[in-house]
Amino acid sequence: MLDILTYEFIQRALISGVVIAVACSTLGLFLVLRRYSLFGDVLAHTALSGIAIGIFLNVYPLITALLTSILASIGITKMKSSTRLSGDTLIAMLLIGSLAVAIVILSASNGLNVNLLSYLFGSILLIRYEDMIVTIIASLSVIAYVTANRDKLLYITMDEEQARLSGLNVQAMNYIFMVLASIIVILAIRLVGVLLVSSLIVLPNIAGIMLGKGFRYTLIASPCIAVVAVVAGIVSSYYLNIAASGMIVITNLLITLCIFAYKSFKGESISIRQLIRI
Amino acid sequence: MSILEVKDLTVRRNGNIILDRINLSVDEGELLGILGPNGAGKTTLFRCILALEECEGSISLFGYSNSKRLKVLPFVGYLPQRFSIDTNFPITVKEFVSTALTTLRYMSKNAYVLKAKGYEWSIIHEDNVVDKALDTVGLGYAKHRRMGLLSGGELQRALIARVIVSRPLILILDEPFNALDPDAQAKLYELLRMLNKDMNITIVVAAHDLMLLMRLAKSIACINKRLYFHGSKEECLSSDLLVRFYSESAMHIHMSEHG
C-alpha cells in the first residue's frame, strides 16, 4: 500500500503540495475574509500573461509570472483606493484583459503547446528537486509571516480604520500582503494550474469558516483541510491514473460539502453567500 | 493645558460647509457631552479629530498639534457610530477584544511621547486584561461566543471592551446609546461614569438623548454645523438654547419619550 511513497517524484509532489496547501490556505483565510475570494483568480490570470511573456522571451516563465502578478496586485490595491470602480468591475476587467494578452502573446510566439498545458492544469508530479526547495522556502516564509502577524492582519481585515488608529502601518502591511498573495498564487499554479488556483485559496477556508468556530481554530482547521485534500488528491491520482490537480480540488469540494451537510443536519444555518463575494 | 483642543475647524465637502469654525477644548478628566441633531457634523468632527478626514484649522491632542498628533492617536479610544461584522466571520468575542492588545503594545512603546508633554500612561501588567475588560462591560458570559451571534447591545459592549483594554486617556464615543434598550443604556451610563471617575479617562460622548446626556456629562457642547454653545451643563440648562436648538415640539416629544 505504501509503496507509492518510495517513488521520489511522489515524495517531491507530496512535500511541495503540503507546504503550498498550508501557505495558500493560511494567507487565503484573510483574502476570503476581506471578500477578495476571486483575487487569486485575477492574479493567476495575470500570471498567465506573465507566463506567456516568459515563453516569448525564452526566460523561466514563473519568474515573469511572479513579476506580472506582483505588479497586478499592487495595481489593484492602488486602483481600488484611487478610482471609483468597484471591486468586481476591476476584477472582471483584469481577468479578461490578462487572458487576452496571454492569448495574443502566446499565439505570436507559437507557445500554445503542451508546456502551456502544464501551467493551465498544474504539474505537481513533474516538480523537480530544485523547484521543490524554492517552493518550500517560499511557502514557509509566507506561513511564518502570516503566523507572526496574524493578530495585526486580523485587526486590519476586520476593522481597517481602527487598526490604523491603533498605530499599525496599514498601508505597508496591505502591500506586503498583496505581494505575498502573488507569491502563493505562483506556487499554487505549480500545484493545480492557473485555472484552479483560487480553489486552493478559497475552498479550504470556506470549509473552515463553515465549522463556525473562532479565529485561531479556523486558522488551524483550514490548512488541515487543505492538507488532507492535497494528499488525498495526489495519492488517488496516482492509483487512478488521473490528473492530480482535478482530484485535489474535487476532494476539497467533497470535504466542504460534507461539512455543509453535517451543519445543515445539525440545524445550524450557514450563509456562504456572504463569503463568496468581492 | 487642554488634553484636546480644536481651533477654527472647518470642513467643506463639494462646496458645502459641513462644519464651520468650531472651537472646542477639553480638559483632562472632563466628561463632555456633544449634542446635535442628525447631520449636525458630530461624526465628522470626531473623524477630523482622529485624522480620518481632512479639514481646515488646527487640532491638538495631548499638546501635539496637527500631523504631530498622529503618533498619540492610539492613546485615544474611539467607538464609531456604526460597526458591523459578518455573521460568519470566524472570531470569538474574546479574540475580538484581544485585537486591542496590538494597540497596547504600540502604546507602551510610545508612552514616552506623552510623558514629554506631562501625560502619564503606564501599562498595567495583568495576565487577563481581556477577561477583566469583558467582565467590566458585563460580557464575560459570552466570551467564547462568535461575534456574529451577538445582539446589538452585546456588540456595542464588545466594542467598548476592546477600547478599554488599551486603557486610553481619552475616549470618544459616537452615539453609543443608539440601538440600546433602556436596561443596556443604564448599564452603559454607569460604565462611562465609572471609566471617567475611577479610571480618570477623559470622555467625549455624542448623544441624542438630552436627559441622559445632561445627567452624565459635566459640560455640554451644542453643534449644528457650527458651535452654538460650549460650557457647563448648568449654563446650558439655564439658557433657552436647547429649545431653540431642538425646537419646542421636538423638546416636547423628547420629554414625553424619556421623561
Side-chain angles (χ1 to χ4, degrees):
Chain A
M1 165 69 199
L2 288 173
D3 59 325
I4 169 180
L5 291 177
T6 56
Y7 295 110
E8 274 188 23
F9 75 99
I10 293 281
Q11 289 171 1
R12 287 197 300 267
L14 282 173
I15 293 171
S16 325
V18 166
V19 289
I20 294 171
V22 174
C24 284
S25 52
T26 14
L27 194 78
L29 176 60
F30 297 97
L31 280 171
V32 171
L33 291 176
R34 284 185 184 195
R35 307 264 177 80
Y36 275 22
S37 286
L38 287 179
F39 193 69
D41 256 331
V42 176
L43 291 186
H45 281 73
T46 48
L48 186 65
S49 55
I51 288 169
I53 295 171
I55 293 175
F56 182 71
L57 298 175
N58 213 5
V59 287
Y60 189 50
L62 286 185
I63 300 283
T64 43
L66 182 62
L67 290 178
T68 48
S69 66
I70 287 179
L71 279 179
S73 63
I74 293 173
I76 294 172
T77 318
K78 264 209 133 69
M79 274 157 85
K80 254 199 120 164
S81 57
S82 60
T83 65
R84 278 159 187 257
L85 293 173
S86 68
D88 56 347
T89 316
L90 268 175
I91 283 181
M93 277 163 44
L94 273 166
L95 258 179
I96 302 163
S98 47
L99 195 55
V101 170
I103 295 170
V104 167
I105 298 176
L106 284 169
S107 60
S109 60
N110 290 325
L112 296 165
N113 53 29
V114 183
N115 192 9
L116 179 69
L117 281 185
S118 78
Y119 290 113
L120 283 180
F121 299 112
S123 55
I124 194 67
L125 295 176
L126 301 178
I127 196 162
R128 288 172 310 175
Y129 182 77
E130 303 83 57
D131 289 346
M132 180 181 79
I133 298 299
V134 174
T135 302
I136 292 174
I137 293 172
S139 301
L140 291 184
S141 317
V142 172
I143 297 166
Y145 176 83
V146 175
T147 318
N149 292 289
R150 59 181 187 277
D151 292 339
K152 294 178 186 170
L153 287 170
L154 173 67
Y155 208 168
I156 296 173
T157 303
M158 197 173 52
D159 197 342
E160 194 167 312
E161 211 164 76
Q162 200 77 36
R164 195 174 298 138
L165 287 177
S166 17
L168 285 183
N169 191 342
V170 174
Q171 204 185 11
M173 286 198 74
N174 276 343
Y175 279 115
I176 294 174
F177 182 79
M178 289 305 173
V179 171
L180 293 182
S182 314
I183 293 173
I184 60 155
V185 162
I186 302 302
L187 294 174
I189 287 179
R190 202 68 234 219
L191 186 57
V192 292
V194 167
L195 297 178
L196 292 173
V197 158
S198 70
S199 65
L200 223 49
I201 294 169
V202 176
L203 283 180
N205 285 308
I206 290 188
I209 291 167
M210 269 187 194
L211 292 171
K213 295 288 200 293
F215 176 68
R216 262 151 218 266
Y217 185 98
T218 314
L219 196 61
I220 294 169
S222 301
C224 289
I225 294 168
V227 167
V228 170
V230 166
V231 173
I234 291 177
V235 172
S236 63
S237 81
Y238 170 79
Y239 284 113
L240 303 171
N241 198 21
I242 41 181
S245 57
M247 283 313 289
I248 292 171
V249 177
I250 288 174
T251 321
N252 228 326
L253 260 177
L254 284 177
I255 297 174
T256 314
L257 288 177
C258 284
I259 295 175
F260 184 72
Y262 174 71
K263 285 281 167 181
S264 311
F265 180 70
K266 274 184 72 184
E268 294 173 34
S269 66
I270 306 155
S271 139
I272 47 170
R273 185 175 49 97
Q274 280 192 338
L275 290 171
I276 322 174
R277 211 167 55 188
I278 303 147
Chain B
M1 189 170 51
S2 306
I3 198 163
L4 163 66
E5 199 154 2
V6 174
K7 271 188 202 152
D8 288 325
L9 174 90
T10 301
V11 177
R12 289 174 228 268
R13 293 281 177 273
N14 306 323
N16 297 324
I17 290 188
I18 311 286
L19 286 173
D20 188 14
R21 284 164 294 151
I22 305 281
N23 285 289
L24 267 181
S25 66
V26 182
D27 291 329
E28 202 174 353
E30 196 173 317
L31 207 168
L32 171 72
I34 294 195
L35 212 55
N38 289 330
K42 301 188 293 290
T43 303
T44 310
L45 170 68
F46 290 161
R47 293 179 62 83
C48 288
I49 292 172
L50 295 162
L52 294 169
E53 278 186 37
E54 294 195 359
C55 57
E56 298 159 35
S58 92
I59 295 167
S60 80
L61 276 167
F62 307 104
Y64 290 97
S65 54
N66 303 330
S67 65
K68 284 191 197 125
R69 76 181 188 282
L70 293 179
K71 57 188 167 204
V72 293
L73 280 180
F75 295 90
V76 183
Y78 174 51
L79 196 78
Q81 194 177 1
R82 279 185 207 90
F83 179 82
S84 64
I85 189 158
D86 275 357
T87 3
N88 290 319
F89 202 106
I91 188 166
T92 62
V93 173
K94 193 175 173 179
E95 285 173 331
F96 176 81
V97 177
S98 303
T99 51
L101 296 174
T102 324
T103 322
L104 206 56
R105 280 193 287 272
Y106 178 96
M107 290 161 83
S108 56
K109 244 194 285 175
N110 289 275
Y112 71 93
V113 180
L114 281 191
K115 206 166 174 141
K117 296 281 180 182
Y119 292 97
E120 207 56 58
W121 185 89
S122 56
I123 192 162
I124 292 170
H125 290 285
E126 279 173 325
D127 295 332
N128 46 3
V129 270
V130 173
D131 286 323
K132 282 225 171 101
L134 281 168
D135 287 338
T136 310
V137 299
L139 207 59
Y141 65 91
K143 62 182 168 193
H144 298 303
R145 208 172 283 174
R146 211 170 67 229
M147 282 298 285
L149 302 174
L150 296 186
S151 71
E154 288 170 326
L155 184 68
Q156 186 78 285
R157 277 185 282 159
L159 280 165
I160 295 173
R162 184 175 71 171
V163 168
I164 59 178
V165 160
S166 56
R167 304 179 64 90
L169 295 180
I170 310 179
L171 195 52
I172 295 180
L173 305 109
D174 197 353
E175 302 195 11
F177 294 102
N178 285 7
L180 293 187
D181 61 40
D183 186 45
Q185 278 194 0
K187 279 187 185 146
L188 178 59
Y189 173 88
E190 287 307 327
L191 178 64
L192 293 184
R193 281 199 86 116
M194 191 276 284
L195 292 176
N196 180 248
K197 246 186 163 161
D198 302 347
M199 293 167 79
N200 197 33
I201 297 176
T202 309
I203 296 182
V204 181
V205 53
H208 284 301
D209 195 324
L210 213 60
M211 293 304 124
L212 200 110
L213 209 54
M214 283 294 171
R215 282 208 333 261
L216 180 66
K218 294 175 188 164
S219 54
I220 299 282
C222 297
I223 289 175
N224 192 1
K225 299 207 188 300
R226 59 189 189 83
L227 184 69
Y228 283 84
F229 174 82
H230 180 204
S232 74
K233 65 176 166 189
E234 290 76 21
E235 291 172 78
C236 186
L237 281 172
S238 61
S239 71
D240 63 340
L241 187 108
L242 287 177
V243 182
R244 268 195 291 141
F245 206 58
Y246 269 94
S247 86
E248 222 149 330
S249 58
M251 276 295 280
H252 182 71
I253 292 166
H254 202 90
M255 296 290 212
S256 56
E257 265 182 0
H258 299 274

